[in-house]
């Protein structure tokens, strides 16, 4: 109402506000609905963006759950390296690779250890059973005759020696596994090869044993740094293996020299070449395993325990070298030992004082 002033009469005029109230109500409803729709739309957009940004972390969590269930082969998906998730996934994959390798190595070590214990027990059981059998046979009076007694004592002595050799080989492998420090000194493989040839001629006079070079008949000095006694044992084991598994009278060659490598470095090499039946391909992959024999029946006519080549591989590995098997041209097997080449230093001549008193 608008009051009107007058000396005699006051008039008041009134107008309805329905339109104004309706407009205000409509405006309020419009603002409220628009705000609600806007908030809902923004919430949906924020949820979608948040879910998309968190999806890599969800994938990481899902992969971690599968790994926790025992599947170590799972890997986190690669994401751009410039993002935090990308750097996280790269670090996690590297860690998972190391963990998987550690588990695989442990399982392989456990399998090797179980097999080693089984084979060692089997090898030791055989001579022990033989000795026990003859002892019981004697106790029950079965060896009354002197000839039978001599035969039994010979068998007991033979089995005792074989068991002693086996125990010595096992102790040698145990010491090599412990990576005990070696006695390092300059060693010339040519000298060791010459000594091995002379020793073999005495051991097997029916054999033709020659010292040759790697590519010619003339050997050359091949020096390295290592344990002289252990390297001699490597060569002796390889020659013993060649004599044991090749026909009587077949020749042997001991090749010595230096071999150049692609990286510019050189190896001092000694090869034991035989001309026997060779080694089948299926056995060539496993001949350096402990207690492995190519004959599945585990026959012992040859007298081997299956540890000689395993000792060779362990000693060469401890020297930072490698051992390989190849076919000899014309038939046979060639065992090649490669060690880091170290040139021998010539001794310095004493200085002479030419000054006069």
């Amino acid at each position: 109402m608008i009051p009107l002033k007058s000396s005699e009469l006051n008039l008041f005029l009134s107008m309805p506000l329905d339109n104004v109230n309706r407009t205000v109500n409509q405006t309020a409803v419009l603002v409220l609905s628009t705000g609600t729709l806007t908030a809902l739309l923004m919430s949906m957009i924020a949820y979608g963006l948040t879910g998309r940004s968190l999806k890599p972390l969800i994938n990481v969590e899902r992969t971690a759950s599968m790994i926790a269930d025992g599947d170590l082969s799972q890997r986190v998906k690669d994401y751009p390296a410039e993002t935090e998730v990308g750097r996280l996934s790269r670090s996690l994959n590297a860690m998972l690779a190391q963990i998987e390798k550690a588990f695989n190595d442990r399982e392989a070590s456990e399998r090797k250890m179980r097999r080693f214990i089984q084979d060692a027990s089997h090898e030791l059981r055989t001579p022990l059973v033989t000795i026990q059998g003859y002892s019981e046979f004697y106790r029950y009076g079965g060896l009354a005759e002197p000839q039978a007694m001599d035969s039994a004592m010979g068998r007991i002595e033979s089995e005792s020696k074989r068991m002693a050799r086996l125990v010595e080989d096992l102790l040698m492998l145990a010491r090599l596994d412990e990576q005990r420090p070696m006695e390092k000194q300059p060693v010339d493989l040519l000298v060791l090869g010459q000594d091995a040839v002379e020793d073999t001629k005495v051991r097997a006079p029916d054999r033709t044993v020659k010292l040759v070079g790697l590519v010619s008949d003339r050997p050359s000095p091949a020096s390295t740094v290592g344990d002289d006694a252990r390297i001699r044992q490597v060569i002796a084991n390889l020659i013993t293996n060649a004599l044991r598994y090749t026909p009587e009278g077949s020749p042997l060659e001991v090749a010595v020299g230096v071999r150049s490598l692609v990286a510019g470095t050189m190896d001092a090499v000694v090869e034991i070449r035989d001309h026997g039946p060779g080694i089948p391909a299926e056995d060539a992959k496993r001949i350096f395993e402990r207690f492995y024999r190519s004959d599945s029946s585990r026959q012992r006519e040859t007298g081997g325990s299956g540890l000689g080549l395993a000792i060779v591989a362990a000693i060469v590995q401890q020297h930072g070298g490698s051992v390989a098997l190849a076919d000899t041209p014309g038939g046979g097997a060639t065992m090649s030992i490669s060690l880091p080449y170290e040139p021998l230093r010539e001794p310095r001549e004493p200085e002479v004082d030419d000054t006069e008193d």
Side-chain angles (χ1 to χ4, degrees), residues 94-155:
M95 180 185 68
L96 291 172
Q98 293 179 357
I99 292 174
E100 184 181 17
K101 182 178 182 300
F103 271 90
N104 292 337
D105 291 345
R106 189 187 70 176
E107 291 178 357
S109 177
E110 289 178 353
R111 287 195 300 269
K112 280 186 177 180
M113 181 60 66
R114 285 194 295 268
R115 182 179 173 187
F116 181 77
I117 293 174
Q118 292 172 358
D119 289 339
S121 302
H122 182 87
E123 294 293 334
L124 290 171
R125 185 186 301 117
T126 302
L128 287 174
V129 168
T130 302
I131 294 172
Q132 181 181 2
Y134 278 109
S135 301
E136 292 179 354
F137 194 40
Y138 170 75
R139 183 158 57 88
Y140 288 114
L143 299 176
E145 298 294 330
Q147 185 175 359
M149 176 66 75
D150 292 341
S151 177
M153 291 298 103
R155 291 287 297 129

Side-chain angles (χ1 to χ4, degrees), residues 227-244:
D227 192 314
D228 182 90
R230 290 188 178 180
I231 298 177
R232 286 180 183 274
Q233 183 179 3
V234 166
I235 298 175
N237 282 8
L238 293 179
I239 292 179
T240 299
N241 191 74
L243 294 175
R244 181 177 293 153

